[in-house]
Amino acid sequence: MASHIVGYPRMGPKRELKFALESFWDKKSSAEDLQKVAADLRSSIWKQMAAAGIKYIPSNTFSYYDQVLDATSILGAVPPRYGWNGGEIGFDTYFSMARGNASVPAMEMTKWFDTNYHFIVPELGPDVNFSYASHKAVDEYKEAKALGVDTIPVLIGPVSYLLLSKPAKGVEKTFSLLSLLPKILPIYKEVIAELKAAGALWIQFDEPTLVLDLDAQQLQAFTAAYAELETTLSGLNVLIETYFADLTAEAYKTLTELKGVTAYGLDLVRGTQTIELIKSNFPKGKYLFAGVVDGRNIWANDLASSLSTLQALEAVVGKDKLVVSTSCSLLHTAVDLVNETKLDDEIKSWLAFAAQKVVEVNALAKALAGQKDEAFFTANASAQASRKSSPRVTNEAVQKAAAALKGSDHRRATNVTARLDAQQKKLNLPVLPTTTIGSFPQTLELRRVRREFKANKISEDDYVKAIKEEIKKVVDLQEELDIDVLVHGEPERNDMVEYFGEQLSGFAFTVNGWVQSYGSRCVKPPIIYGDVSRPKPMTVFWSSTAQSMTKRPMKGMLTGPVTILNWSFVRNDQPRFETCYQIALAIKDEVEDLEKAGINVIQIDEAALREGLPLRKSEHAFYQKWAVHSFRITNCGVQDTTQIHTHMCYSNFNDIIHSIIDMDADVITIENSRSDEKLLSVFREGVKYGAGIGPGVYDIHSPRIPSTEEIADRINKMLAVLETNILWVNPDCGLKTRKYAEVKPALSNMVAAAKLLRTQLASAK
């Protein structure tokens, strides 16, 4: 019985690629140094999978930034602003598209389906001259083969590539991206021909958009694309991989009737209903790559349950046509549990990271072939039973409090217009008030202080003193820049979710459980294993300390319940909304303690609210109802004069704008500039927004420093669709990933632009 892995984490067990990338970007190392680190990581991954007994090992799932950007490079679809003149795309062009450069901004970045991974959105139009401009897929296949590992090269499928793209600036929004299919398929044919010539026996096309709500024309595009590729693919085994949700009956029919396709990879963890489609009608003689091991969470697989599922499928598709696989790429989980030295043995026994999931896949494949490892299965069953019965999982008081939430919508008693009036009397802010989103640059010295405190190398007094000094520096800088509503810069936090999780019960933490978010940015999601509560205040000391340093309003900075949920590895033994309500009650306690401590502006970030939106429209309403309700729970008890902010970033917000309004925050700051101000279109189309709003005026994920004129132009575009008295001026997101050499001039230009517009507005009266 065969086994398969859809994809594998790229950063390395100790984030080796992250550090190599940042060293290269900082011009501290060469391209050759970066390429060597990458080659060593790829070699290690391939050999690890081969040693574990995996038959179908993927290649070309490694990326220096993002796999969709890699596809853009293969197709030579480089936007003209990057000055690429043809030939093989090198690092300069590649990283300029990803990060921008001193002259031009980066391409848009948005969430990969409903995950916390981000991809670079292709910018396409009728005039794009596609050409075969990156041979990465073929080079990596050959590289693996030279190491003695025969792999399945993986490509983003042509239809998903186009459906995940957007019309370039200046191209009509109604332009049909699928009309470009005849232009990109010749490039795919070139890649396929080279892979065949190199000796490839299989090829994997990732077509995850098949799980979305697609119309007949979009489904027909899949049929047309693979019919066109059929002759070129002749002689290859072709796997079409889908993931993240069920397939509709129409999408399943389209998939299983594609020309020249040998195998279908299906997510049977988040797509359990797809199993019924398989049982009712699976094409004879085709392979099923059954994704029964969860690629998106860190819980050990219930091997007995998965084996039962596989045995039922084996009876449908045939013993020699069933391949055990992961539900999706393991990119979305941590790398290796072996590196975790501080998790206690009980919790550790409940978990499986990427390396352990590879072992699980192979163990299931062997069991299905009659070579069951009884000891491995017995240990797994024992761990499953331990998790179900452990007293540390359940807190009856928390469950009772969460159950009592039913029956109220937890809205603030006064409408937002009246609240804003009361807040303005107290805060006395100018027109177009300026603020930032929360974090300031995390310097090497600051990281050293936190690291040494965690390692007990410095005392708590020394730690507190160092953090206070950093806060004072950030406060003084903001006053010098004349920003209106200040932040304390979050120097005590490495990560916005991890920080809160460390102080809430029901959470566990890893030492090296890093997961790629985008580029070199990695996060270490907490593990929610039990009921959640707040034993004591979490941020009040630092926010009060910061407020004592200034007479200007100081924002209390919290992460919202939906974002904590969506950016954690969440327990899978109860519905997600129940866990979210528990987190909301904990944050509510913190909000009310901040208010009592004299903090008049409190920001409750919900950066990931859109990210959790189900992929199916039929499931949207239920998610939006409990997600918005969870946010309102956190602040329903504050006074009218306490201003509640929230922040959202790097998602397509236009389709949830009414839910954003329903959150009933006083002010929302929201990513806007990197996505080419697409957010503003909803207001042009007539959506009325009465609360304060700060669409981001510059992209913080690029080192580029915008000019005062550029920012003023952006603000003017906002003023064309939003009322002057509700508009705020702020960056897209927090500043922790930037350097002070970038932050100071960018914020200075932002404040100058706001003042320029205030003067113009005053003179126009």
Side-chain angles (χ1 to χ4, degrees), residues 9 99 248 282 290 573 684:
R99 307 176 71 238
T248 63
F282 191 80
D573 59 345
R684 294 189 192 101

Side-chain angles (χ1 to χ4, degrees), residues 116 296-299 332-334 340 343 347 351 353 454 494-515 522-530 532 559-572 576 579 583:
N116 186 32
R296 292 211 21 201
N297 218 325
I298 42 66
W299 303 109
H332 309 288
T333 190
E340 298 310 320
L343 283 171
I347 289 180
L351 307 178
F353 291 0
K454 279 198 169 186
N494 178 61
D495 176 84
M496 60 190 284
V497 174
E498 182 182 0
Y499 175 80
F500 289 98
E502 284 178 338
Q503 301 182 76
L504 295 169
S505 63
F507 282 74
F509 295 88
T510 63
V511 176
N512 287 298
W514 297 100
V515 178
C522 297
V523 294
K524 199 164 49 165
I527 299 165
I528 306 177
Y529 68 84
V532 178
T559 303
V562 184
T563 296
I564 290 177
L565 183 87
N566 285 334
W567 286 358
S568 298
F569 290 126
V570 183
R571 57 191 293 191
N572 57 0
R576 289 172 71 87
T579 303
I583 302 169

Side-chain angles (χ1 to χ4, degrees), residues 297-326:
N297 218 325
I298 42 66
W299 303 109
N301 188 271
D302 184 338
L303 295 177
S305 175
S306 292
L307 185 58
S308 176
T309 299
L310 290 165
Q311 287 167 339
L313 292 170
E314 185 181 56
V316 176
V317 306
K319 196 175 189 70
D320 62 334
K321 298 297 182 185
L322 184 62
V323 178
V324 183
S325 184
T326 53

Side-chain angles (χ1 to χ4, degrees), residues 66 68 108-113 117-122 164:
D66 161 52
V68 181
E108 180 185 350
M109 182 169 69
T110 197
K111 294 290 173 74
W112 177 246
F113 294 81
Y117 178 76
H118 303 66
F119 74 97
I120 303 296
V121 183
L164 292 168

Side-chain angles (χ1 to χ4, degrees), residues 247-250 252 273-282:
L247 291 172
T248 63
E250 295 79 10
Y252 180 79
Q273 294 172 39
T274 302
I275 294 173
E276 298 310 311
L277 293 172
I278 296 167
K279 289 179 178 178
S280 65
N281 183 23
F282 191 80

Side-chain angles (χ1 to χ4, degrees), residues 561-724:
V562 184
T563 296
I564 290 177
L565 183 87
N566 285 334
W567 286 358
S568 298
F569 290 126
V570 183
R571 57 191 293 191
N572 57 0
D573 59 345
Q574 71 177 16
R576 289 172 71 87
F577 71 85
E578 290 185 15
T579 303
C580 199
Y581 284 157
Q582 293 177 0
I583 302 169
L585 287 171
I587 300 299
K588 180 177 186 289
D589 290 343
E590 187 72 12
V591 167
E592 291 171 6
D593 280 348
L594 281 168
E595 184 182 57
K596 288 173 191 169
I599 304 300
N600 297 314
V601 182
I602 302 171
Q603 181 170 308
I604 308 166
D605 284 350
E606 284 295 14
L609 188 136
R610 170 63 178 79
E611 174 186 310
L613 191 70
L615 300 178
R616 278 296 167 41
K617 289 178 182 173
S618 61
E619 299 170 17
H620 285 191
F622 179 64
Y623 168 78
Q624 289 176 83
K625 181 179 179 181
W626 64 255
V628 169
H629 187 193
S630 295
F631 177 82
R632 288 203 305 261
I633 288 167
T634 65
N635 60 87
C636 62
V638 300
Q639 300 172 33
D640 287 355
T641 50
T642 297
Q643 189 166 83
I644 298 296
H645 288 222
T646 190
H647 169 67
M648 296 182 181
C649 56
Y650 299 102
S651 287
N652 181 5
F653 299 107
N654 295 22
D655 51 358
I656 63 161
I657 191 66
H658 294 290
S659 289
I660 292 172
I661 294 169
D662 199 34
M663 290 170 73
D664 199 29
D666 297 311
V667 178
I668 180 169
T669 52
I670 194 163
E671 180 272 323
N672 169 69
S673 62
R674 175 131 189 191
S675 59
D676 202 22
E677 299 162 352
K678 135 173 98 177
L679 170 72
L680 300 185
S681 65
V682 296
F683 303 112
R684 294 189 192 101
E685 291 160 10
V687 170
K688 298 297 180 187
Y689 193 78
I693 183 167
V697 296
Y698 79 90
D699 174 24
I700 64 85
H701 287 98
S702 169
R704 183 174 168 274
I705 298 164
S707 67
T708 299
E709 294 73 23
E710 180 183 331
I711 295 174
D713 181 59
R714 278 217 164 93
I715 298 171
N716 271 320
K717 288 179 182 176
M718 297 170 192
L719 288 170
V721 292
L722 293 165
E723 296 295 327
T724 307

